[in-house]
Amino acid sequence: MRCFNVPFILPAAAVVAVKCVAAQTAIPLVDIKSVDPTIVIELRYAGANNLAGQALYPPGARALVRPEVASRLVAAQAFLRHYQYQLKIWDAYRPKSVQMQLWQAAHYNDYVADPHAGAGSLHSWGVAVDATLIDTSNRPVLMPTDFDDFTPAAMWHYWGPDPAIRSHLHLLQIAMQDAGFYGLHTEWWHFVIAGWQKYLPPEESKRALQAFGMRWQGKL
């Protein structure tokens, strides 16, 4: 699938319309940093520290999401700063071409969405982010696992013995839930905007629900 970027401006922020020719679908996206500069960005697929072992994004790649997702991240960031923590974003909008590379690098396992099945990854629709918690000095805090850890330790519910990890994870989950996100059962860092179905074409939404509907975590 060949995709290209067409920039246009809205009053609140610069928006990029990503049009995938095959799908004939335009996705309005904003740079998270343009909406809230305090949110820390570390796109893991822009470097080699990921499951593919190489950079999958070009130099200077930005963390893009739909405007509705960005506004909810702002709310989550404000909540966390009351507790002397903040968000770090590991991934946001992910082109389908990158999803294909991840699918191949993961050896087609169940932890990575098949780009050919259903709607593919919800990252590719601009409605999902991968996020973690850091302190207000941008230092990492203890969390259950690193990014892209496909083991039972990465499950939404932390069953380990460390109370600090449990507290940090619970705080992140509360912040994201209150801001209007769902979590993913198998990946504590993965969050999707509530009502994401309305941002996909009806047929894509139906297929995505069939593939993912039972995997989302709602209330804590």
Side-chain angles (χ1 to χ4, degrees), residues 72-101:
R72 297 190 191 197
L73 290 174
V74 172
Q77 179 78 337
F79 177 93
L80 289 169
R81 290 184 75 84
H82 284 296
Y83 297 91
Q84 304 301 308
Y85 292 96
Q86 57 182 337
L87 289 172
K88 175 186 280 188
I89 302 299
W90 277 332
D91 200 23
Y93 168 74
R94 183 187 305 157
K96 291 187 177 181
S97 59
V98 173
Q99 186 65 27
M100 174 62 74
Q101 294 179 71

Side-chain angles (χ1 to χ4, degrees), residues 6 13 22 26 29 61 64 87 117 125 159 187 196 198 212 217 219:
V6 183
L29 300 171
L64 305 175
L87 289 172
W125 295 95
W159 299 108
E187 299 173 7
W196 55 267
K198 66 185 177 183
F212 303 123
Q217 297 293 319
K219 299 296 182 181

Side-chain angles (χ1 to χ4, degrees), residues 101-180:
Q101 294 179 71
L102 289 177
W103 175 242
Q104 294 170 345
H107 304 292
Y108 318 107
N109 70 41
D110 291 338
Y111 287 95
V112 177
D114 182 351
H116 297 115
S121 171
L122 294 182
H123 279 284
S124 299
W125 295 95
V127 296
V129 294
D130 294 329
T132 189
L133 202 64
I134 57 177
D135 68 19
T136 53
S137 296
N138 295 349
R139 295 174 301 197
V141 300
L142 292 172
M143 298 300 280
T145 67
D146 194 7
F147 180 59
D148 275 358
D149 183 308
F150 302 139
T151 70
M155 301 291 279
W156 170 265
H157 294 289
Y158 174 70
W159 299 108
D162 193 321
I165 292 176
R166 184 177 297 107
S167 176
H168 294 154
L169 180 59
H170 188 68
L171 180 62
L172 175 64
Q173 291 170 340
I174 287 290
M176 296 298 279
Q177 177 182 287
D178 285 358

